[in-house]
Amino acid sequence: MVLSDAMRTLIQRWREDPNATYRSWFLWEERVKNFRSIRRGIQQVVADIEAGTFGNAYRGSSLETVVHSIAEQRQIFKGADHAFLWKPKLRIPDIYENPDNQRAFGRLLDTCVCCNAETQVLAAIRQLDAKGIKGLGPAVANLLYFLHPTIVPPFNTAIVNGYNALTGAKVKLGRWDEFLAMRKGILALNAEYRDLLSNDLGAVGSLLFDVGSGRYAAPPREDDATARAAWEADLAKVREESAKATKAAAAEREGDRTHTEIQGWLRDLGRALDYDVWIASNDRGRPYNGGKLGEGCLERLPGAIEKAPGADAVRLIDVLWLDRGKAHVAAAFEVEHSTSIYSGIVRMLDLALGGDAHALEGLFLVAPNGREEEVRTQLGRPAFSRVADLKVRYLPYGELESHRESIARFGSGMKAIHAISRTLV
């Protein structure tokens, strides 16, 4: 078996593993939904730096908000915020106490938000590298990945270790020139096995992560039958371990089911109250009560909403109630079962900034009873002041479950929904 054949075997086995990052993260629907919210968060960082309001601390900044959202992107990005935490003894990363360095960081982010060309992204990285800012290394690539997933691969220690193991390279952490060299190698690897990977470099990045974190062993680079047999035994062992992890995967699927169930409750309640209902465009086909979640709901948003700024994000809001036959959103609901509350808030912000926002009767974060404090903490961030002005409300699962049937039978308008929810700010 030649190395390329072994690599194909590895990638195919990895793609089939329900607990590997390909299925648990790369194919995860929330990953795609979070791209826009993270982009908006990066734009807020740029705006704060340009306005001189970013401050001199990571905690409480718009940067902490967006990096925290990335760090919640399943295991592959766990710990993404470590590189940005202020380390006073080392005085790194030096973007909190040095205004010039902070502005250079802002220019990198601004360029990458505004451009689409690979040459522009790489030039911006090299300009930042030339500044020699202490402690501000390739971990920034995790921000850039969510702006340009086909240009910049994600980055962390496990990904570097996986790349070195698969290619025989000796890339070191912490240097931009090393990262850019690794990026070239990643692009070549991705091109060679493109039919098994993706144009989105998150796929090959997650493969490298699983190899570098020890879930999968790299195939031996030498033509040694004994080494090959040992490697194939390791693959078989991973498959056995994956089967044992079925219980955890089932619990995760149960979380998805609960999310869909809550959307279904809101769908049925909205229709009972004589509203037109919109279900998030990427959730419409989910199975629910023997049918599809989007059945009986709007197939398209009214033209005025479709043409408004931020319409792409508004289409992804979990449930919208619209006045019957009108282009007016009466209420918006984001169901936050276990994922980052941040992304749902940002989608509501896109709706809130629309021209019809003044007429909204309610923005609701629908979450388990025990998440109220987490919701309050997130809404307390300066980046969300516009949403807070609109009196976003917290609707606990328990209240919705207990009262939805009686509201459907005897209620009208938004009064009863307001009664079982709480204003957060």
Side-chain angles (χ1 to χ4, degrees), residues 1-314:
M1 182 187 288
V2 297
L3 180 59
S4 61
D5 291 337
M7 280 290 294
R8 285 192 169 276
T9 299
L10 170 64
I11 297 172
Q12 288 167 341
R13 188 71 59 84
W14 167 76
R15 280 168 51 100
E16 295 166 0
D17 183 351
N19 299 303
T21 51
Y22 182 74
R23 292 188 177 275
S24 67
W25 174 70
F26 187 73
L27 298 183
W28 182 43
E29 290 186 358
E30 287 292 326
R31 183 185 77 94
V32 178
K33 290 175 73 172
N34 286 338
F35 270 84
R36 182 178 176 86
S37 60
I38 291 171
R39 170 180 280 269
R40 178 177 283 283
I42 292 172
Q43 290 172 322
Q44 185 64 51
V45 173
V46 171
D48 289 349
I49 291 174
E50 289 180 347
T53 58
F54 180 82
N56 58 4
Y58 175 70
R59 295 298 189 192
S61 71
S62 52
L63 179 62
E64 184 194 21
T65 300
V66 70
V67 173
H68 181 68
S69 180
I70 292 172
E72 288 184 330
Q73 288 273 304
R74 302 277 169 102
Q75 183 64 28
I76 186 172
F77 286 109
K78 185 177 181 180
D81 58 344
H82 291 172
F84 295 95
L85 293 170
W86 173 240
K87 302 166 184 66
K89 291 184 178 179
L90 300 175
R91 310 199 76 74
I92 60 173
D94 195 10
I95 55 171
Y96 305 117
E97 296 189 346
N98 187 313
D100 287 340
N101 289 346
Q102 189 177 108
R103 285 191 288 270
F105 175 53
R107 284 194 296 273
L108 166 75
L109 297 180
D110 188 37
T111 298
C112 291
V113 165
C114 297
C115 76
N116 290 312
E118 177 185 41
T119 53
Q120 293 173 298
V121 173
L122 298 182
I125 290 173
R126 292 189 179 101
Q127 287 176 5
L128 181 72
D129 186 29
K131 291 283 292 182
I133 300 174
K134 190 176 180 182
L136 195 68
V140 176
N142 288 329
L143 296 173
L144 305 187
Y145 165 73
F146 285 95
L147 297 175
H148 297 289
T150 64
I151 297 174
V152 182
F155 174 90
N156 57 32
T157 303
I159 289 173
V160 173
N161 290 343
Y163 176 76
N164 288 340
L166 286 179
T167 65
K170 296 182 180 179
V171 172
K172 296 178 182 178
L173 291 166
R175 292 175 56 95
W176 277 110
D177 56 350
E178 297 266 348
F179 171 79
L180 292 176
M182 182 178 76
R183 174 186 170 274
K184 283 186 177 181
I186 289 175
L187 291 177
L189 181 68
N190 194 60
E192 185 174 357
Y193 302 101
R194 174 68 179 78
D195 58 313
L196 295 173
L197 294 169
S198 170
N199 194 39
D200 183 327
L201 298 176
V204 66
S206 57
L207 170 66
L208 299 177
F209 175 83
D210 279 347
V211 172
S213 61
R215 182 174 185 82
Y216 284 89
R221 301 187 61 75
E222 68 279 2
D223 190 12
D224 182 327
T226 302
R228 292 281 179 189
W231 174 72
E232 289 172 357
D234 282 342
L235 280 185
K237 184 177 180 181
V238 171
R239 177 172 283 181
E240 292 174 7
E241 291 172 349
S242 182
K244 294 177 182 177
T246 300
K247 185 176 181 179
E252 190 168 300
R253 286 193 297 272
E254 176 66 13
D256 290 340
R257 187 200 66 81
T258 302
H259 185 282
T260 301
E261 183 177 43
I262 302 300
Q263 284 176 285
W265 292 353
L266 291 167
R267 179 199 72 178
D268 296 342
L269 182 55
R271 291 169 62 188
L273 294 174
D274 202 33
Y275 290 105
D276 285 331
V277 177
W278 169 263
I279 297 293
S281 56
N282 60 328
D283 292 337
R284 294 173 54 82
R286 286 177 178 265
Y288 180 70
N289 272 4
K292 300 294 184 182
L293 186 59
E295 289 178 1
C297 299
L298 294 174
E299 295 186 2
R300 293 180 61 87
L301 285 170
I305 299 174
E306 287 277 0
K307 295 174 184 177
D312 288 343
V314 173

